[in-house]
Amino acid sequence: MQKNILYAGAFLTLVLLQIFLIDNISLSVYFHPLIYVAFIILLPLDTKPIWMVLLSALLGLTIDVMTGMGGLNIIATTATGFLRPFVLKMVTGHAMGTDASDTSLHRLPEKNFQWYIIAMVVLHSGIYFMMESLSLMHILHTLLRLIVSDIATVMFIYYFVKLFIEKILNR
Amino acid sequence: MYKLIEFLRRIYVVLLFIAIEAIALNYYAHSSYYTQAKILSRAHSIAGGLQSSIFGVKHYFTLRGENEILSQRVAELESALAYYREKEIDAQTDSLTMNGIDPLMLESLSQYRYTTARIISNSISRSRNFITLNRGLMHGVMEDMAVISPSGMMIGYVVGCSERYSVVLPLLNVDFRTSGKIAGDEHFGSIYWSGNSPYKVEMSDLSKHADIEVGDEVVATGLSHFFPEGIKIGYVESYAINDTQTSYHVTVRLAADMTKLNNVILIENVDYGEINELENNPQHEN
């Protein structure tokens, strides 16, 4: 129960940070970090697939409504949430979440943990930016946006998830 | 039967995922800047207070530069006013011709009305950017009002209003369209943003007979009902004739720095309703 409140707190913090801080940083057209995906990343490894999909959709819906984007964030977050088990399987080489002793994210070896974050961020922003531009005409432009934004996103999420899991969840 | 239920139990997450994605994709495909602006202006009725206080802090740091621009503008307007005062005195001495014109009537003859607003949120990093202003219906802001910077450069026009906030479709939105021309020349082209640089827009279909040079000023035409004729858009940065040799494609460097906006001026075209009504009059089609 108490953990659920902590996760809800993380959800709220990330949404508010994205909308009121990150979206107000107007550095360049290429700099558009999507940090709220951290919520999907830090969910426990044994989260049921149905909850993964529902919570991801809720996250996307919240951002969509607050920023007036027409469904773009739901498309990206729901796909990311749905595909998370496959990403985990890919980075660790075996299915996670079936073994009860292995459900906390910080049990992931450091290297797998980093790859997991990078894969999730690239997956999410890849869908997001491709759907936003909806054409291959500006593919180089889109790729550059992806690279610049993802470097910032991965760095932020790495420290955010570490902080959340080590300092708040396992206090 | 049992097997069917078992099967559904195994794939219901996939089905749910497909359903959500289908709804979202369908909605995204059918959403236009208009529906987005509607949602945004609703959301701002809830979150607008927080948003505007955050922007208020940011605003504080740019006050000095803004003051300079404003005082320059005041000086410009003062000199214009002095000019008109002189004219008025001339007219009064020549009172035979001016006799009987009511100043109130003069005001109602002017086609445009001006008001100011402060920006509370502004993005440049998406392909569909919007600007939110701290003025809404209750302050007399309405859809289709033109938005310009304090120094008179084109920014966009209002597409959605709530009671206290309004949403602007800026030049930096791929759905933005208006017409523009080279200052001092009557050929016009259509202005749009390609989504790449926040400092540049494109002008296409400018007649090859247009008199164009790098550095020329690009201004609004009177053809758009939103913008008064002559509002500055930017400067010609480069131009090239298209493949069929019929028109120029021009890259325009924006006059307004869209990344550093704080205060804006809203312009209402008083005659817009009348013109619009006339244009949409079904009698035209007969």
Side-chain angles (χ1 to χ4, degrees), chain B residues 29-87:
Chain B
H30 290 105
S31 76
S32 62
Y33 71 84
Y34 187 75
T35 51
Q36 292 186 15
K38 279 274 173 254
I39 301 174
L40 202 55
S41 62
R42 292 282 174 284
H44 270 291
S45 325
I46 309 161
L50 188 55
Q51 186 90 294
S52 80
S53 57
I54 288 171
F55 225 79
V57 177
K58 245 171 104 179
H59 185 218
Y60 186 79
F61 295 102
T62 54
L63 280 178
R64 182 188 287 268
E66 230 168 275
N67 272 340
E68 269 165 34
I69 295 171
L70 283 178
S71 41
Q72 267 172 22
R73 187 73 181 155
V74 165
E76 261 172 51
L77 293 176
E78 282 283 2
S79 52
L81 184 64
Y83 173 78
Y84 286 114
R85 281 218 175 104
E86 228 166 84
K87 283 261 176 196

Side-chain angles (χ1 to χ4, degrees), chain A residues 41 45 83-99 102-120:
Chain A
I41 290 174
L45 297 180
L83 293 174
R84 190 180 86 145
F86 305 98
V87 173
L88 271 172
K89 200 173 166 183
M90 217 174 64
V91 294
T92 59
H94 58 88
M96 301 288 291
T98 44
D99 184 358
D102 204 20
T103 59
S104 175
L105 204 55
H106 83 297
R107 296 268 171 82
L108 274 181
E110 179 67 21
K111 205 168 173 201
N112 285 355
F113 177 70
Q114 286 167 358
W115 276 115
Y116 164 64
I117 290 182
I118 293 170
M120 290 290 281

Side-chain angles (χ1 to χ4, degrees), chain B residues 33 37-38 40-41 44 117-123 128-135 141-148 154-161 165-173 176 227 258 261 264-266:
Chain B
Y33 71 84
K38 279 274 173 254
L40 202 55
S41 62
H44 270 291
R118 197 155 59 80
I119 290 178
I120 59 166
S121 93
N122 179 15
S123 70
R128 289 185 172 77
N129 297 300
F130 289 101
I131 295 175
T132 310
L133 305 178
N134 69 341
R135 292 275 184 269
V141 175
M142 280 175 292
E143 281 171 29
D144 303 324
M145 281 173 91
V147 180
I148 63 170
M154 180 186 288
I155 291 174
Y157 57 86
V158 178
V159 287
C161 291
Y165 299 97
S166 52
V167 176
V168 176
L169 183 73
L171 276 160
L172 300 189
N173 184 312
F176 182 93
F227 299 103
M258 304 291 282
L261 292 173
V264 294
I265 297 172
L266 289 146

Side-chain angles (χ1 to χ4, degrees), chain B residues 84-154:
Chain B
Y84 286 114
R85 281 218 175 104
E86 228 166 84
K87 283 261 176 196
E88 196 190 1
I89 293 168
D90 285 352
Q92 271 170 2
T93 44
D94 198 9
S95 60
L96 279 176
T97 49
M98 277 295 279
N99 209 1
I101 291 188
D102 182 359
L104 265 179
M105 194 181 130
L106 266 179
E107 190 164 298
S108 70
L109 279 176
S110 151
Q111 194 188 348
Y112 299 102
R113 233 170 259 155
Y114 296 76
T115 170
T116 59
R118 197 155 59 80
I119 290 178
I120 59 166
S121 93
N122 179 15
S123 70
I124 57 156
S125 54
R126 305 199 182 103
S127 58
R128 289 185 172 77
N129 297 300
F130 289 101
I131 295 175
T132 310
L133 305 178
N134 69 341
R135 292 275 184 269
L137 290 170
M138 61 185 276
H139 309 101
V141 175
M142 280 175 292
E143 281 171 29
D144 303 324
M145 281 173 91
V147 180
I148 63 170
S149 74
S151 41
M153 318 294 185
M154 180 186 288

Side-chain angles (χ1 to χ4, degrees), chain A residues 19-30:
Chain A
I19 293 167
F20 292 116
L21 187 70
I22 306 287
D23 282 358
N24 278 326
I25 303 176
S26 304
L27 268 182
S28 141
V29 274
Y30 296 107

Side-chain angles (χ1 to χ4, degrees), chain B residues 219-283:
Chain B
V219 297
T221 64
L223 299 174
S224 136
H225 302 317
F226 305 129
F227 299 103
E229 187 168 356
I231 292 279
K232 200 189 278 182
I233 300 170
Y235 305 94
V236 175
E237 183 168 278
S238 62
Y239 61 95
I241 199 144
N242 70 353
D243 297 339
T244 50
Q245 306 280 317
T246 48
S247 61
Y248 285 121
H249 185 92
V250 186
T251 304
V252 180
R253 176 158 288 271
L254 284 175
D257 186 351
M258 304 291 282
T259 61
K260 284 189 201 132
L261 292 173
N262 276 306
N263 292 312
V264 294
I265 297 172
L266 289 146
I267 308 175
E268 180 192 357
N269 184 346
V270 183
D271 297 347
Y272 179 74
E274 200 176 323
I275 296 170
N276 209 17
E277 198 177 302
L278 187 64
E279 284 183 347
N280 293 331
N281 194 336
Q283 279 178 356

